[in-house]
Amino acid sequence: MSRNADSPYILTAANSATAIEQGLAGAEWYTSPIPKAALRELLERRDGPALRDTLLWFGLLAASGYAGFQLWGTWWAVFPFLIYGVLYGSTSDSRWHESSHGTAFRSDWLNNSLYELASFMVMRESTVWRWSHARHHSDTIIVGRDPEIAVPRPPDIKAMLMVFFNLNTAPNYFRKLCLHAGGRLTDEEPLYIPASEHPKVFFKARIYLLIYAAVIATAVFQRSLLPLMYIGLPNFYGAWLMPVYGDTQHAGLAENVLDHRLNCRTVYMHPINRYLYWNMNYHIEHHMFPLVPYHALPKLHELVKADMPAPYRGLREAWREIIPAILRQTKDPGYFVKRTLPTPTQPLQPAAAVLSSSTAAAADGWVEAGDAALLGKEDVIRFDHAERTYALYQTAGGGYHATDGTCTHGRAHLADGLVKGNLIECPKHNGRFDITDGSPQRPPACAALRTYPLENRDGRLFLNLARAGLSDAGEPQVPRGEQAQPRHLDRGVGA
Ligand code: FES
């Protein structure tokens, strides 16, 4: 959606600074308590559900596309192309989204392949949007920080209606593609895309333009619109379902709050809609626990729903709230829908255990961290000591390791993340680190963690604070306007 140059929603250094001064940037967000064992089960990655759903999706695209081809030249072709267009131009959005988090599949190559394909299909440059979406999860609907606020206030109703057919998004997209293909970025993009990623942006923009040029050339050569009905035009005639689902996520809700229950909606949907939308209707749950794969969101919802505002009973109920809210915001931009937070009827589940010690480290740097029985295999636990926080790990093979406790990308406790092999996955944006040497292994994590020796001595964990190590891999590559997070958070900051 286009914005005036003086809009507070533009990601300028000044607007970003305002959010930072208010403590809204990279801040601590509310998280519903959930038993660690239950969360760990939900985090389990599988290839099966997304393979099944993706093969069905490809099958539907192929069948509708083939029917359109066979019926081309008759009015009957309208019907298969209506289906093809929605599958291509709208449902690629949720495939793009889930694979961007790296959670749809267990196998990274499957996540990355679907991500590249779906990014092209939904008209989002894959590198640009990977970084923009990381920021959206750090600073959800924080004005001046979140590049993905779909309905800035006061809402532009004409622009909102044009989005249903990408009439404003598409020109903007092609303008940026040309800019990137020419080796340049917009003024906003360096604020959230690190310099090391810029060559990828330029390279992929050229590839995208080449594909569009080839499709247009084929259409001209064949003197037929048919090639464009498969690539290009579906983003116009099939885009309408994307805002029907997507605007329910945040439209009309609060800005500048640090509780996803106040700025996201969870909407119950029919199973067909949930298939098309890949369960993104559980949007509060997704934002609160972005590591949980889409197929586990219904189970997560059952675990946390007592701590959530009442879910909407369907798309119709959500839109009955959104339409009057945005109409009112056109005259009263300060208005927003206030969600009522529940008083839990049953005691909340205890959060994950945290080890702590106030005993000073010995002269040789060793400090006793606590009971080793609390740290299972392929597990991580938080340890707080002297106003600093650490993450202690045991690998599946029984190796003990320790790193700084907070992610180098943002303000997230790694103890809330997922250990797989020698990797810890950050709970906030799914960045990964090697726990043996602290090196970053998956963006947006780019800077290494400090590591520390950790030993299990007769059932007690001992950490050495004097022998910290820092891998050379992954020098800090922080986007302009993004503050590198301190290596240690003060106790009490963070989840
Ligand atoms: S906070 Fe972004 S990857 Fe960890």
Side-chain angles (χ1 to χ4, degrees), residues 134 138 407-412 414 426-433 442-445:
S138 290
C407 182
T408 53
H409 174 247
R411 203 168 276 194
L414 293 169
C426 174
K428 202 156 190 179
H429 308 115
N430 314 66
R432 291 184 197 150
F433 300 90
R442 181 181 190 272

Side-chain angles (χ1 to χ4, degrees), residues 77-351:
V78 168
F79 298 103
F81 274 117
L82 282 179
I83 296 169
Y84 178 88
V86 165
L87 290 168
Y88 184 109
S90 287
T91 67
S92 50
D93 174 39
S94 42
R95 276 75 191 157
W96 163 83
H97 177 265
E98 285 306 292
S99 53
S100 81
H101 282 276
T103 53
F105 297 95
R106 179 192 174 96
S107 309
D108 281 342
W109 75 269
L110 287 170
N111 282 314
N112 292 336
S113 304
L114 182 62
Y115 181 66
E116 292 298 335
L117 177 69
S119 297
F120 177 80
M121 289 169 76
V122 78
M123 293 202 313
R124 288 181 191 143
E125 292 174 75
S126 57
T127 303
V128 175
W129 279 77
R130 196 183 280 287
W131 288 92
S132 119
H133 200 62
R135 175 66 75 81
H136 172 64
H137 270 265
S138 290
D139 299 330
T140 311
I141 321 298
I142 302 295
V143 175
R145 293 283 299 177
D146 183 350
E148 296 183 8
I149 298 181
V151 188
R153 298 188 217 154
D156 180 341
I157 301 296
K158 187 176 157 208
M160 283 189 74
L161 293 174
M162 288 170 78
V163 162
F164 281 76
F165 298 97
N166 269 332
L167 295 175
N168 43 2
T169 343
N172 200 26
Y173 168 70
F174 284 104
R175 184 183 62 78
K176 284 188 186 172
L177 265 188
C178 294
L179 189 75
H180 296 159
R184 290 165 56 209
L185 297 174
T186 66
D187 290 344
E188 284 184 316
E189 286 162 345
L191 294 172
Y192 58 88
I193 307 172
S196 60
E197 297 282 295
H198 297 178
K200 278 190 216 165
V201 175
F202 306 145
F203 175 73
K204 287 181 186 173
R206 289 164 196 152
I207 300 282
Y208 285 23
L209 283 178
L210 273 178
I211 295 171
Y212 285 118
V215 176
I216 291 169
T218 308
V220 171
F221 182 73
Q222 294 185 342
R223 298 186 182 188
S224 167
L225 266 184
L226 188 58
L228 288 160
M229 291 299 286
Y230 292 103
I231 296 177
L233 291 180
N235 293 107
F236 298 94
Y237 72 79
W240 59 271
L241 191 60
M242 188 163 46
V244 169
Y245 292 155
D247 282 352
T248 66
Q249 295 176 356
H250 310 285
L253 297 177
E255 295 174 340
N256 296 339
V257 291
L258 299 177
D259 187 335
H260 292 113
R261 299 175 302 171
L262 300 174
N263 67 9
C264 303
R265 282 186 186 84
T266 283
V267 183
Y268 288 148
M269 287 189 184
H270 186 278
I272 293 177
N273 283 322
R274 288 206 286 115
Y275 167 73
L276 295 174
Y277 196 27
W278 266 18
N279 283 338
M280 273 306 106
N281 53 304
Y282 296 105
H283 214 65
I284 306 177
E285 292 82 353
H286 165 68
H287 265 274
M288 209 180 262
F289 298 99
L291 275 188
V292 174
Y294 76 94
H295 50 78
L297 287 174
K299 279 190 191 154
L300 172 63
H301 172 69
E302 290 304 315
L303 283 174
V304 296
K305 67 181 181 189
D307 194 37
M308 296 280 159
Y312 297 78
R313 282 168 299 175
L315 272 169
R316 191 179 304 176
E317 186 174 273
W319 275 98
R320 269 200 192 137
E321 177 180 90
I322 293 167
I323 292 172
I326 55 180
L327 288 176
R328 185 164 165 187
Q329 284 176 343
T330 58
K331 297 193 178 69
D332 175 7
Y335 173 77
F336 61 92
V337 175
K338 292 192 179 82
R339 302 303 324 271
T340 308
L341 298 180
T343 308
T345 52
Q346 55 196 24
L348 293 173
Q349 303 282 359

Side-chain angles (χ1 to χ4, degrees), residues 375-390:
L375 182 60
K377 293 227 166 136
E378 258 194 343
D379 195 9
V380 55
I381 195 166
R382 175 176 158 188
F383 172 56
D384 289 345
H385 179 263
E387 304 303 316
R388 292 183 169 183
T389 187
Y390 305 87

Side-chain angles (χ1 to χ4, degrees), residues 377-378 394-400:
K377 293 227 166 136
E378 258 194 343
Q394 186 184 181
T395 61
Y400 286 89

